[in-house]
Amino acid sequence: MGHGSSKEDESVSRTSRFRKKFHLHRERRRSRGNGSNPGSHHHNRVLNEEDFAGIALLTLISAEMKFKDKWLACVSLGEQTFRTAISDNTDKPIWNSEKKLLLERNGPHVARISVFETNRLSKSNLEGYCEVDLLVFLTKDSDADSEVFDLLDPSSSNKIVGKISLSCSVEDPIETEKSFARRILSIVDYNQDGQLSFKEFSDLISAFGNQVAANKKEELFKAADKNGDGVVSVDELAALLALQQEKEPLMNCCPVCGETLEVADTVNTMIHLTLCFDEGTGNQVMTGGFLTDKQASNVWMFKLSEWGHFSSYDVGLNSGSRAHILVFDRRTKRLVEELIDVKIVMSMRAIYQSKIGLGLMDIGTKELLKSISEKQGRKMNSVESSKEIPKFVNFFKDQINLADVKYPLEHFKTFNEFFIRELKPGARPIDCMEREEVAVCAADSRLMAFKSVEDSLRFWIKGQKFSIQGLLGNDICSNSFLNGTMVIFRLAPQDYHRFHLPVSGIIEQFVDIPGCLYTVNPIAVNSKYCNVFTENKRVVSIISTAHFGKCDITVPALDGRYS
């Protein structure tokens, strides 16, 4: 058992080594969480005890694919994504990668597991995925250690492309405390006998930086050494940490990330220390710090662009000015990356996010862009454009579900026919059909709702010229809309491009407003130099309703026509 030397210099050396280890963990964690990336934080808000469902240990064991390649798998839960290592070249990859995940009763609990083939220079290819409700999975009455799930084709959810084996279990809270104590003990247990001598225990207390506790080392050691054998075991250390956290905490701040811990909040302290310690010391096999599976699957070329600040991942209403646009999926409570070709991103940033772009607009580029857009619209109405449909579907294959489309791809004679495709009956069920006082979503879209126009200006629309009068035009009396609620339905290219009225009422008038053909991508919406909403060509519909008063539905035109 560990009885360390009593020499002062050895004690100082041991303490300094322990502090150095924690310092390295801190630096490692800071480098992962650099910037405002919330995906690097394991638990950054207060959780009520009744909402805490447990800490699940999810293990991605292996998969069976239809061809040989090098594979990696990603797990996305809420605003966090984790990835495995890359497998050997095989059709039966084995990862055995695990990660601890915080489960909340009313929070994210549907994990998306994505499998990528990685034998590419610049881009990993999503081959299959499955969604697993972890709370349901954990409550299944099964004696099996693992379960096999079908991997679905990203572009057609009724097609199976492989299988993946995984396991999931929840630690008992007492075992979680012991597990944390075991990891703490292992760092200062110099002779690795699984027990702490008084000297090792003293080094541990000193490293916590709690001066009050440091002055009571002998008292704390006696309190921990329940059986009086002169050493502190894992169980005894766990009991001491739990007891002291309720009375007089030994740790006032997290030894890994340095975050202050609330004295009376035992649940969040236990969650924080468990997840933070695992992530900070790299004990988990799965790598974290990612926001989406696309980011996690990026290979060296894309990582180089992030390192050089050509692109970055971020969350928030203004993240559209970045190269990566992130959208929050309310159904799964997960972040999804909006796909867009990097060349188009750089072009839009050059035009909409710079004074040079603004200058080009002023000297005639605006008319040129409109001409190009209209020409592209005519091209996509030609029979030859149908060749672009498979390429388009492949690019957006994990965001277009062909199982929802009414007709097969061969039915569409032009690209524009596919662009405004119909869906199968029931693919988009309408909620509260009999209740006219309930407004529904008007389109497949990224939806943002603001209580007032002022809120929209403060949080998202950054154009200097935006106003309700500018949006609705001179032919409509806009005074009645000045203090109204504003909802923005923003469609992306891969979306179902048919618009449905969100309310029941009488259509009073349609007004066509001429204008430009700017993109409605967030890169343009967040531009300080132009305003796509008030300068774009659009049609305004005024609807009189019994429950909402007057409503206006403004639909912008793209490629010279309305979508």
Side-chain angles (χ1 to χ4, degrees):
M1 285 181 280
H3 288 286
S5 168
S6 60
K7 293 181 181 180
E8 184 66 25
D9 58 343
E10 185 175 348
S11 174
V12 172
S13 175
R14 286 182 173 181
T15 302
S16 63
R17 288 202 304 271
F18 186 41
R19 287 183 180 278
K20 184 177 180 181
K21 285 185 179 182
F22 272 142
H23 174 72
L24 291 175
H25 301 159
R26 242 185 234 113
E27 291 302 316
R28 187 182 308 167
R29 181 163 175 79
R30 284 173 185 162
S31 65
R32 288 184 182 183
N34 191 23
S36 58
N37 181 350
S40 65
H41 301 293
H42 57 275
H43 177 57
N44 54 7
R45 64 183 182 82
V46 176
L47 183 68
N48 294 326
E49 188 169 355
E50 56 269 21
D51 291 332
F52 176 54
I55 294 176
L57 179 64
L58 178 66
T59 305
L60 303 188
I61 303 171
S62 61
E64 292 185 12
M65 309 306 294
K66 294 191 174 181
F67 57 91
K68 290 185 178 181
D69 213 313
K70 296 179 180 178
W71 306 92
L72 71 83
C74 297
V75 177
S76 297
L77 181 69
E79 296 182 5
Q80 298 184 96
T81 295
F82 310 93
R83 58 166 280 178
T84 68
I86 297 176
S87 74
D88 296 330
N89 195 307
T90 178
D91 58 350
K92 296 180 180 179
I94 298 174
W95 300 293
N96 287 322
S97 292
E98 62 183 32
K99 186 64 187 176
K100 285 186 176 179
L101 303 169
L102 170 64
L103 295 182
E104 305 171 44
R105 300 188 194 283
N106 299 313
H109 51 84
V110 177
R112 176 183 165 108
I113 300 170
S114 308
V115 177
F116 292 82
E117 57 164 326
T118 65
N119 195 15
R120 293 170 177 232
L121 178 65
S122 62
K123 182 184 177 183
S124 298
N125 187 48
L126 176 62
E127 187 64 25
Y129 77 96
C130 65
E131 291 188 345
V132 181
D133 189 322
L134 297 180
L135 293 183
V136 173
F137 185 26
L138 289 166
T139 54
K140 283 185 177 180
D141 187 12
S142 173
D143 294 329
D145 293 331
S146 62
E147 188 167 337
V148 177
F149 291 85
D150 291 333
L151 290 172
L152 307 179
D153 188 322
S155 60
S156 183
S157 58
N158 54 11
K159 181 180 177 182
I160 297 173
V161 296
K163 296 183 181 296
I164 188 166
S165 174
L166 59 90
S167 67
C168 190
S169 59
V170 174
E171 276 187 347
D172 180 270
I174 295 176
E175 182 56 37
T176 299
E177 291 177 355
K178 288 183 179 179
S179 178
F180 174 70
R182 193 176 296 114
R183 290 179 176 91
I184 286 280
L185 183 147
S186 65
I187 289 183
V188 78
D189 182 17
Y190 303 122
N191 61 359
Q192 299 181 347
D193 64 355
Q195 296 175 316
L196 297 183
S197 66
F198 176 71
K199 181 59 65 179
E200 292 168 332
F201 182 84
S202 297
D203 290 349
L204 175 65
I205 299 301
S206 297
F208 285 158
N210 186 327
Q211 191 58 45
V212 175
N215 294 332
K216 298 164 60 177
K217 290 177 184 177
E218 292 188 12
E219 179 183 336
L220 290 170
F221 185 81
K222 290 179 180 178
D225 184 16
K226 296 291 186 183
N227 59 8
D229 62 355
V231 292
V232 174
S233 67
V234 170
D235 289 350
E236 289 172 333
L237 180 60
L240 176 70
L241 291 174
L243 179 63
Q244 288 297 130
Q245 194 61 38
E246 294 180 4
K247 294 169 51 181
E248 187 179 357
L250 298 178
M251 289 178 285
N252 294 329
C253 62
C254 175
V256 179
C257 70
E259 184 173 324
T260 301
L261 303 175
E262 292 294 331
V263 175
D265 194 349
T266 56
V267 171
N268 284 279
T269 295
M270 183 269 291
I271 294 170
H272 182 105
L273 292 175
T274 301
L275 299 183
C276 193
F277 196 87
D278 281 342
E279 184 177 329
T281 55
N283 284 332
Q284 297 296 302
V285 180
M286 217 174 288
T287 305
F290 305 105
L291 288 170
T292 69
D293 54 5
K294 287 289 185 297
Q295 182 193 13
S297 67
N298 283 347
V299 289
W300 72 267
M301 189 174 292
F302 283 87
K303 290 177 181 177
L304 183 63
S305 72
E306 290 181 38
W307 175 80
H309 302 291
F310 295 115
S311 63
S312 61
Y313 280 83
D314 206 350
V315 175
L317 293 175
N318 296 326
S319 62
S321 61
R322 312 280 182 159
H324 303 279
I325 301 168
L326 303 182
V327 180
F328 184 72
D329 186 327
R330 288 177 173 83
R331 181 182 66 85
T332 61
K333 297 182 174 66
R334 189 176 62 241
L335 288 172
V336 178
E337 182 173 345
E338 191 169 307
L339 296 179
I340 183 168
D341 188 277
V342 66
K343 297 187 292 294
I344 296 176
V345 169
M346 296 186 74
S347 300
M348 286 194 294
R349 290 175 71 182
I351 293 172
Y352 296 105
Q353 295 285 337
S354 70
K355 290 183 179 180
I356 296 176
L358 175 65
L360 291 174
M361 294 285 185
D362 290 338
I363 62 174
T365 305
K366 187 182 298 185
E367 287 71 23
L368 179 61
L369 287 174
K370 183 176 179 180
S371 174
I372 293 173
S373 183
E374 290 173 341
K375 183 178 179 181
Q376 186 70 7
R378 290 192 295 270
K379 179 182 177 181
M380 291 299 133
N381 268 329
S382 67
V383 175
E384 290 77 15
S385 67
S386 62
K387 297 176 183 177
E388 301 297 320
I389 298 175
K391 300 176 187 176
F392 183 85
V393 170
N394 184 62
F395 184 78
F396 292 109
K397 69 177 184 177
D398 60 332
Q399 296 184 17
I400 296 178
N401 188 357
L402 294 179
D404 287 343
V405 181
K406 187 174 182 180
Y407 301 108
L409 294 184
E410 302 77 40
H411 170 83
F412 304 104
K413 305 305 179 187
T414 69
F415 182 86
N416 276 345
E417 283 188 12
F418 173 75
F419 196 71
I420 58 170
R421 59 195 174 273
E422 292 182 71
L423 299 183
K424 293 176 181 177
R428 299 292 185 272
I430 299 175
D431 200 14
C432 304
M433 280 284 289
E434 307 302 321
R435 298 178 58 188
E436 292 191 357
E437 75 275 16
V438 176
V440 299
C441 187
D444 275 8
S445 60
R446 293 102 191 95
L447 184 149
M448 278 162 288
F450 303 97
K451 288 185 177 181
S452 67
V453 175
E454 286 72 21
D455 283 348
S456 70
L457 294 173
R458 187 164 65 251
F459 292 118
W460 196 56
I461 305 171
K462 301 302 178 185
Q464 295 175 342
K465 304 173 185 177
F466 180 80
S467 66
I468 289 296
Q469 293 93 331
L471 178 68
L472 302 183
N474 298 324
D475 295 337
I476 297 175
C477 179
S478 56
N479 290 335
S480 57
F481 297 103
L482 288 179
N483 297 315
T485 297
M486 187 174 190
V487 181
I488 299 173
F489 306 92
R490 182 180 66 81
L491 279 67
Q494 68 271 25
D495 288 327
Y496 159 66
H497 268 68
R498 294 194 174 216
F499 198 87
H500 300 262
L501 294 180
V503 294
S504 298
I506 299 172
I507 298 176
E508 294 186 353
Q509 64 180 129
F510 288 108
V511 178
D512 281 305
I513 301 177
C516 305
L517 295 176
Y518 294 143
T519 175
V520 292
N521 187 282
I523 293 175
V525 173
N526 281 287
S527 172
K528 296 183 290 185
Y529 308 114
C530 67
N531 194 292
V532 299
F533 292 126
T534 59
E535 296 181 39
N536 256 5
K537 182 178 180 181
R538 57 203 182 278
V539 62
V540 179
S541 310
I542 302 299
I543 304 174
S544 179
T545 72
H547 298 281
F548 300 98
K550 281 193 177 184
C551 300
D552 83 85
I553 312 295
T554 304
V555 182
L558 293 173
D559 301 331
R561 59 193 179 83
Y562 297 104
S563 51

